[in-house]
Each structure stands twice: as C-alpha cells, then as structure tokens.
Amino acid sequence: MPVSATRLEGDLQRFAAWGGTPGGGVSRIALTPADRLARRELIGLLRGEGLEVRMDEVGNIFGRLGSWERAGVLLGSHLDTVPEGGRYDGTAGVVAAVEVIRALREEGRLPPCPLGVAAFTAEESTRYGVATIGSKVMAGVMSLDAALALTDAGGLSLGRALEAQGGREWVAGPADAGEVGAFLELHVEQGRELELAGAEVGVVTHIAAPTRLKLTVFGQAGHSGSAPMGLRKDGLTAAAELILALEQLGEDEAEHGTVATATILALHPVSINVIPGQVELGIDVRSLDAVSKRRAVQRFLALAQRVCDLRGVRFSVAFLADEEPARLAPELVAAASSACTRLGVRHLVMVSRAGHDIANLSRLAPAALVFVPSRGGLSHQAGEFTSLEALVTGTRVLAETALAAAALVGEGCRHA
Amino acid sequence: MPVSATRLEGDLQRFAAWGGTPGGGVSRIALTPADRLARRELIGLLRGEGLEVRMDEVGNIFGRLGSWERAGVLLGSHLDTVPEGGRYDGTAGVVAAVEVIRALREEGRLPPCPLGVAAFTAEESTRYGVATIGSKVMAGVMSLDAALALTDAGGLSLGRALEAQGGREWVAGPADAGEVGAFLELHVEQGRELELAGAEVGVVTHIAAPTRLKLTVFGQAGHSGSAPMGLRKDGLTAAAELILALEQLGEDEAEHGTVATATILALHPVSINVIPGQVELGIDVRSLDAVSKRRAVQRFLALAQRVCDLRGVRFSVAFLADEEPARLAPELVAAASSACTRLGVRHLVMVSRAGHDIANLSRLAPAALVFVPSRGGLSHQAGEFTSLEALVTGTRVLAETALAAAALVGEGCRHA
C-alpha cells in the first residue's frame, strides 16, 4: 500500500512549525495564535487533497470526500498540545487520516461511502480545565453553550477565543460534521506497553475515563513558632493525609486498573515560617472499570470527611469531571486486529488509560483506536518521539481498518 | 509615672502611615521605600527628643542620650513588617523605647548611664529569607559581608538596597552602636497566652530558635492516567509522608516545647492530569530546648532517607538556618517581674516561641524582653491589635526595668 513516509514526514514538519519550541517540541495551546495557524494549515491541506471543508460551532474542522449527507467513515484526532508538548500527540492522527485518503485514492481502493478527516477543538485540558471539548460537544456529552462559556485562566471564554480567530468565517458552508457511520483515530501511545512488548501497533478495546475533583482544605494559618502542635489546624498535614489515603485507594483498586493521583494546585500562605491554612488539591481518578472508579471516589470522600473532622478543619469539593469509560466497537477492534495479522504487523490488543476524543465519538458511532509506540513512553513533553516507520505502519493499519469500517457502514445503510 | 498614651498613640500613627494598607495594616518590607520613610521618621523623632543618631554598616539605627563610649542601656526593636502585616509587631517596641526616655526625663529619673534606642534592619525574613539580620550582624552571629550579600527574590542584595536608600549618608558620625551594657525589648506577643491568662504583661525567660531546611524531593512526573500505581515515583506522595512524619516528630517532642512545621514552597508540574515530579518542602523546627530540636531534625532526616529509599526517589537538603535558643538574663527577668509586682501589673513569666532581635543581643549583653498582649493572638496580619492601655502598661514596666538595668550596668562598671 502506498502510504508515503515522505508525505507523512512533510506533513508532521508543516504542523510542528506552528508553535515549535527551541527544544524541538511544540507549544500549541488550543485557540491561541499558534493553534489558529495550524488550523489554517490543515484547511489548506484538506482543500489541496480535494476535500470540502466545514467547521462546526465549537470549531471542530472537518474535511469530506463525498456527500455530507451519507454515512461515512470519519478519521482524525486533534492539533492542540499541552505547553511544551511534543510533535506527535494529536497531530500524528490528523496527518495519518489525510494520508489514508491519499493512499487509498492512489491505489484505486476508495470505498463507496464518504471519507472524512476531523480535527477536534481543545482536546487537551490545559486552557479550559476540561479535556476533549470539541468531541464532547459533537457527541452531545457537553452542550455547545456550556463549551462556549468555558473560560481560561485570564477569564476569556472559549466562545470569545473562537470569535477572535474569525470563528467559522474561515470556511464556507453550514456548520456540519457530516453523517458519521464510523470513527477511527490513530494516536501515539502515552505509555510504554508497546515498546516493552516489542509491538508495532496497539489496537485499543477500552478507554479509561477520569473523575476529577477539586478538594479544598480550609485549615487555619498561624505562626510556625508560637502555635503549639496540639492547637493547630494545619491545612497541609490534613492534605498530606488525603494524598496518602488516595494513593492507598489507588493501590487497593489497582487490580481493576484504576489509578489515583493527587496534586496540590494551590497553597496559602506559602512561607517557611507560617502554618499553611488553605490547600487546594486536584484529584484525578481514572479507570476502565466504572464501578471500581466510583468506589474509589466515594471511599475517598468518606475518608476526607473523617480526616477533616478529626483534625477540626473544613473542606469543600467540586466535581470537575466525571466521565464514563468507553468501550470501542468489537467489530472494528476485530477488523483492526485482522488487518495487522494480514499485514504482518506485530500488534497488541490493549486498553488506553489516557483519554482521547474517540471516547466521545464512540457514543455516536462504532469507533476504533490505533496506537503507535512512543519512545520510552514519553508524552506531553518535547522529547516525545514516534519513528516514521512506526507511523507508516500505523497508518497502513488505519487504512485497512477504514476499508473494513466502510464495509460495515455500507451494511448498516443496507440494513437501515 | 508619666508614660503618655497620647504620645504613644501619636507615634504609632506616624509610623503606620508609612506602608499603610487599606485594611488598616502595614506592608513595610525591609529596605523598600516605605521602610526608608519610616526610618527617616525615626531619625527625626530621635533628634527631636535630643538624641544623637548614628547608623551602623548594616543599617541599624541608634539614638543615644549620653556618651557612646560608656556602657548604656539600649532599648528597641524593629520597624520592618511582613507583607500585609500589622501596626504593632516591631514598631511598638521602638516607640515604647522612645517613650521610656521621655517619661524618665519628665520625672527627673534619668539614670546616670547612657540610654539608647535601636531599630534593627530586616527583622522579618520576608525579603532575604533570613530573620533578624541587623541584630545578627551587631551580635556577631552573622558577618557583615554575609549580610550585605544576601539577595532578595529579584536578585538585589541587601548591600545594594541599603546603598539605594543612601546608605549611612543619612546620618553624620561613625558607624557606631555605642557601648551596650544591657538590652531591653518590648514586643507584642504573637500568641494568646497572655490573653488566656488574663495577664497585662509577659516577662520572657527564653526565646526559641528555628532550624530551617529546604528539602527537595526528586520524583518523576508522569501521565496521571497511563502510569500504573506500582510503577510511579510520585514526588508528592513521598512529600506527604514526610509532612506527616514531621508532624509526628513535633508531637513526640511537644513535651519539650518543640514545634515542627512543613510547607510546600514549590511543586512541579502543577496540573491535575500530571503526577507531581518535584516537590520543595520548607521545614521549620523550633524549640527552647536545643537537644530536643536537634533530635527532631536528625530523626526527620533519617526518616526522609528511609521514605525516599523505599519509594525510589531522591532528595536533597539545604540548611537555611540552625540557631541556638536564647536564655535571657535572670537578673533582668527578676527585675522586670519585680517591677510588675510593684506597679500592680498582672504578669506572666513565660517563653517566646517566636524569634526576636533580642535573641541575638542577649549574646552581647544581659537582656530582657517584655511582651504586651496581642488580641486573639493575631500576628503578621492587618488585624493585629494591642490596646493603648496595654501598651502604656508594658512601657511602664519597660521603664522600670531600664532603671534596674542601669543600676546593674553601673555596678558592672564599678566592678570592672
């Protein structure tokens, strides 16, 4: 199959220029000028390949080969990055989607159903505190109004940021994602399972989902010399108990694949001679097993109540996210695995513990996710690297899976 | 005795104007323009009372009634504050010192030995990370060169900040603190012991001293979803163990009056979806009992080694301070207590768990510290408040103690 390493490399370099950092990474925060330039680059690339381009109300970009009204196979990912991120996370999936269409066309193997390319808005939670915003809106997991009202640290809403970019004025035509019969995504693995297993491709069956809390402990600040140990309401020691308790809950649920992470988002006051009064914890619990995740979160909240009661401090909790794990379409997982076997690609059927746009899209249509290895498991940093060879292999699997998906979509149409 | 509430109130208001905050507090960080103006105010006040003014090389200001060459009784405190601090911490002791001289003169009870007023540079650790800098240099606890080389967060040295204020050019004469036969300080209590005991004055016998460490845990940052619990090197969970271990050590040593406080000075990265890699802890251990304090610090460091070894993370330690607790002069403590009894003042003989300039001066000469109550124990905040009545009472005790100290100094001279 004529998947072209040269074209993939050229496309990756085109995008890496927008927001490129001196260290070889990319800082392309959603809806910043760098992201806007990358989005323009994509529109040019899609039109250059003969695709019609549309954008929806939340800024998701779609290219279409064929009718927007007939169910098609949509392929894609996202272009935004974390600060000081890498060149591959998200972008690899967008350039692979374009390359699938080019390769199938060159081979004369374009399926009878429409093919589309998608780039979703604000996959990373960096700017608005919420991940996969564009695909959430598309899948109806989040309302358009709620998404547009999200604000960044400077108080600027996503809606205003989109408008400042010219909104949908860039592209002609209606705000339309087209009919989606199936969705496929290629993404870099954000771990080392493929590398450790010596596999070239991962075929993902399930995607973990986070529950995220902001838990604020309200203790009492005080003089680190004159406040006796027994009379303190130290916010940080209370928080330390919660951090260790959460770690223990994560370990208790580890057999269910659940992980639990605490970070300190803010602390006040910060001074070596003052007892910290107020501590804001960010709690991230993820699992493929919704029951295990819910149990961990509920036990944690009960425990926080006990710890804070015993220490005489108050706390408040806000749920920032509470998502359901996603199961990808077994028929497409099987198709991707078969494609690997046919192509002689060493592959691993696996789960994704990181979130992806496809977790939302899987609620709209049968969906499949193909992983390519990330060297050393490095992710969200400039050192992120996927070999061109691995990307070519992943794109070939993606193309074969797209053909299988097109066949399913066709059957679906017939059955409908 | 004609200690004047009106004059004390007027002087407090004069100083509160320099760096005054809308909330009624004072932000007068050492050697900032606000501090410079307060220092000029003091020089004017001292000269107005007929005192000769000198400044030493680290910027300590001295007023002198009588010879600089004969041993005198020096009284004073400091003018700098923490950010958003109060009107009383430090300043109360400076205005009380001036009022002692005025009151004794009016009564015709000036002692035969010289009397001096001192205002020490940078008592608060806010700007340079080190507390009681001016008195440390005067007592030889810190070298002048080391003090002048201390830098603030912007990289500006204390020496340069002094020069930017005009250095010693403000005052004529040599850089001279005068001969110190005894030192007395009045300060607001930074706790509630006096209030709870219903006492008007505290006579302090010992001053606790801090050992301060900066302990940095070097874990490994990672994706909060894709890193399995068992393979993490979470810097924050390691730090949480250390925070709780330190609290336990503080409780173990509480019977020796030792307190131990941890704060998180910095954390990296700070993101709800990233395992924190690096955590910088500020550790503050204080005690009146040097043996207990040393034991707590050593046990903490041994424990940090074990915790970090078990978790497979590294750590580094820097000692920021390691001071010895001070014992004030028993003969002056007795004199201050007797003065209270004679004057009918309800007093408490107590210890200070907060540090003060006098801890350094006590290494140079017999020294005594008089506490006045601070409402609700509030300290280092705008709400800090000491009633004028309490301040008058404390100043009367200070004046009587100064006369007793003058007698001791005189005897010392005779015996010498």
Side-chain angles (χ1 to χ4, degrees):
Chain A
M1 181 186 293
V3 164
S4 163
T6 312
R7 284 190 303 234
L8 281 169
E9 187 176 28
D11 287 344
L12 274 174
Q13 284 183 6
R14 280 164 79 157
F15 286 105
W18 307 119
T21 58
V26 177
S27 273
R28 196 160 61 222
I29 315 303
L31 303 180
T32 56
D35 189 36
R36 178 182 181 219
L37 292 164
R39 290 155 63 82
R40 278 197 183 274
E41 180 82 55
L42 176 63
I43 291 170
L45 179 62
L46 295 174
R47 288 187 173 144
E49 295 298 333
L51 276 68
E52 190 183 327
V53 176
R54 291 184 180 174
M55 195 186 282
D56 69 11
E57 302 282 0
V58 73
N60 295 321
I61 295 169
F62 302 97
R64 191 78 164 191
L65 195 65
S67 163
W68 294 83
E69 281 72 43
R70 283 174 49 221
V73 177
L74 185 63
L75 304 98
S77 190
H78 63 98
L79 291 174
D80 67 315
T81 74
V82 296
E84 308 281 328
R87 296 169 159 229
Y88 300 88
D89 182 343
T91 308
V94 177
V95 305
V98 176
E99 181 61 20
V100 162
I101 292 180
R102 287 191 291 227
L104 291 177
R105 184 161 45 198
E106 274 185 21
E107 281 195 308
R109 294 177 71 199
L110 281 176
C113 79
L115 289 181
V117 174
F120 299 105
T121 300
E123 195 264 358
E124 303 290 358
S125 54
T126 297
R127 183 163 181 183
Y128 299 103
V130 179
T132 65
I133 297 172
S135 54
K136 276 197 175 89
V137 171
M138 180 168 167
V141 175
M142 175 183 277
S143 76
L144 175 64
D145 287 349
L148 296 180
L150 289 168
T151 53
D152 64 14
L156 187 72
S157 73
L158 188 148
R160 291 272 175 204
L162 255 182
E163 277 173 31
Q165 291 208 341
R168 291 201 307 108
E169 294 157 28
W170 293 8
V171 293
D176 202 339
E179 286 298 310
V180 182
F183 179 73
L184 305 181
E185 181 167 3
L186 176 145
H187 204 282
V188 293
E189 186 199 0
Q190 292 168 289
R192 294 188 64 194
E193 283 187 61
L194 293 177
E195 192 174 84
L196 292 174
E200 298 164 277
V201 155
V203 177
V204 177
T205 58
H206 295 80
I207 297 176
T211 294
R212 288 179 177 168
L213 315 175
K214 189 171 81 175
L215 188 149
T216 308
V217 178
F218 300 95
Q220 198 172 325
H223 193 292
S224 62
S226 57
M229 296 305 291
L231 296 180
R232 297 178 170 206
K233 294 185 176 181
D234 187 324
L236 183 57
T237 54
E241 270 199 67
L242 299 185
I243 290 164
L244 291 175
L246 185 74
E247 185 186 42
Q248 184 58 52
L249 288 173
E251 281 162 10
D252 291 351
E253 297 287 342
E255 60 181 307
H256 304 286
T258 302
V259 290
T261 309
T263 196
I264 289 183
L265 299 176
L267 180 75
H268 182 81
V270 177
S271 178
I272 198 169
N273 57 355
V274 182
I275 300 162
Q278 195 169 320
V279 184
E280 193 180 296
L281 291 174
I283 305 292
D284 185 28
V285 184
R286 304 207 197 190
S287 192
L288 294 154
D289 179 336
V291 174
S292 162
K293 188 174 69 159
R294 200 170 306 122
R295 185 167 53 221
V297 170
Q298 283 171 355
R299 284 183 62 199
F300 176 69
L301 289 175
L303 214 141
Q305 189 67 59
R306 280 208 303 281
V307 165
C308 291
D309 282 351
L310 279 171
R311 288 181 171 270
V313 301
R314 288 187 308 110
F315 75 101
S316 70
V317 176
F319 274 74
L320 304 179
D322 193 19
E323 301 175 15
E324 288 294 312
R327 184 180 180 214
L328 300 183
E331 62 275 29
L332 290 181
V333 168
S337 297
S338 302
C340 290
T341 306
R342 271 200 319 282
L343 295 169
V345 170
R346 290 185 307 279
H347 73 288
L348 204 63
V349 176
M350 63 189 295
V351 298
S352 171
R353 302 189 187 280
H356 294 287
D357 286 310
I358 201 169
N360 300 314
L361 270 294
S362 71
R363 299 177 205 288
L364 273 189
L369 173 60
V370 171
F371 269 170
V372 288
S374 201
R375 189 177 58 190
L378 300 186
S379 172
H380 285 188
Q381 50 191 290
E384 185 184 276
F385 177 77
T386 296
S387 76
L388 201 56
E389 188 187 356
L391 189 56
V392 167
T393 302
T395 307
R396 292 175 72 201
V397 172
L398 187 69
E400 292 296 334
T401 311
L403 291 176
L408 283 172
V409 168
E411 282 174 26
C413 289
R414 273 198 299 279
H415 295 155
Chain B
M1 181 186 292
V3 164
S4 162
T6 313
R7 285 192 303 235
L8 281 170
E9 187 175 27
D11 287 346
L12 275 174
Q13 283 183 5
R14 281 165 79 157
F15 286 105
W18 307 119
T21 59
V26 177
S27 274
R28 195 161 62 222
I29 314 305
L31 303 181
T32 55
D35 188 36
R36 178 181 180 217
L37 292 164
R39 289 155 64 82
R40 278 197 183 274
E41 180 81 57
L42 177 63
I43 290 170
L45 181 61
L46 294 174
R47 289 188 173 143
E49 295 298 334
L51 276 68
E52 190 184 327
V53 176
R54 292 184 179 175
M55 194 185 282
D56 70 11
E57 302 282 1
V58 73
N60 296 321
I61 294 170
F62 302 98
R64 192 77 165 191
L65 195 64
S67 163
W68 293 84
E69 280 73 42
R70 283 174 51 222
V73 177
L74 185 64
L75 304 98
S77 191
H78 63 99
L79 291 174
D80 67 314
T81 74
V82 297
E84 307 282 329
R87 297 169 159 230
Y88 300 88
D89 182 344
T91 308
V94 176
V95 305
V98 175
E99 181 60 19
V100 162
I101 291 180
R102 287 191 290 226
L104 291 178
R105 185 160 45 197
E106 275 185 22
E107 282 194 308
R109 293 176 72 199
L110 279 176
C113 79
L115 289 181
V117 174
F120 299 105
T121 300
E123 195 263 358
E124 303 290 357
S125 54
T126 298
R127 184 164 180 184
Y128 299 103
V130 179
T132 66
I133 297 172
S135 53
K136 276 197 174 90
V137 171
M138 180 168 167
V141 175
M142 175 183 276
S143 76
L144 175 63
D145 287 350
L148 296 179
L150 289 168
T151 52
D152 65 13
L156 187 72
S157 73
L158 188 149
R160 292 272 175 205
L162 256 181
E163 278 172 32
Q165 291 209 341
R168 292 201 307 109
E169 294 157 30
W170 292 8
V171 293
D176 201 339
E179 285 299 309
V180 182
F183 180 73
L184 304 180
E185 181 166 2
L186 176 146
H187 203 281
V188 294
E189 186 199 0
Q190 291 168 290
R192 294 188 63 195
E193 283 187 61
L194 293 178
E195 192 174 83
L196 293 174
E200 298 164 278
V201 155
V203 176
V204 177
T205 58
H206 296 79
I207 297 175
T211 295
R212 288 179 178 168
L213 314 175
K214 190 171 81 177
L215 188 151
T216 309
V217 178
F218 300 96
Q220 199 172 323
H223 193 292
S224 63
S226 58
M229 295 306 290
L231 296 180
R232 296 178 170 206
K233 294 186 176 182
D234 187 323
L236 183 58
T237 54
E241 269 200 66
L242 299 185
I243 290 164
L244 291 175
L246 185 75
E247 184 185 43
Q248 184 57 53
L249 288 173
E251 281 162 10
D252 291 351
E253 298 288 341
E255 60 181 307
H256 304 286
T258 302
V259 290
T261 310
T263 195
I264 289 183
L265 300 176
L267 180 75
H268 183 82
V270 177
S271 179
I272 199 169
N273 58 355
V274 180
I275 299 162
Q278 195 169 320
V279 184
E280 193 179 296
L281 291 175
I283 305 292
D284 184 29
V285 184
R286 304 207 196 191
S287 192
L288 295 155
D289 178 338
V291 174
S292 162
K293 187 175 68 160
R294 199 170 307 123
R295 185 168 51 222
V297 170
Q298 283 171 355
R299 284 182 64 198
F300 176 69
L301 289 175
L303 214 142
Q305 189 68 58
R306 281 207 302 283
V307 165
C308 291
D309 281 353
L310 279 170
R311 287 181 172 271
V313 301
R314 288 186 309 110
F315 74 102
S316 70
V317 176
F319 273 73
L320 303 179
D322 193 20
E323 300 175 17
E324 287 294 312
R327 184 181 180 211
L328 300 183
E331 63 275 29
L332 291 181
V333 168
S337 297
S338 301
C340 289
T341 306
R342 271 200 320 282
L343 295 169
V345 170
R346 291 185 307 280
H347 72 289
L348 204 62
V349 177
M350 62 189 296
V351 299
S352 170
R353 302 188 188 281
H356 293 288
D357 285 311
I358 201 168
N360 300 314
L361 270 294
S362 71
R363 299 177 205 288
L364 272 188
L369 173 60
V370 171
F371 270 169
V372 288
S374 202
R375 188 177 59 190
L378 299 187
S379 172
H380 285 188
Q381 50 191 289
E384 186 184 276
F385 176 77
T386 294
S387 76
L388 201 55
E389 189 187 357
L391 189 56
V392 167
T393 302
T395 306
R396 292 175 72 203
V397 172
L398 188 69
E400 292 295 335
T401 311
L403 290 175
L408 283 173
V409 169
E411 281 174 28
C413 287
R414 273 199 300 279
H415 294 155

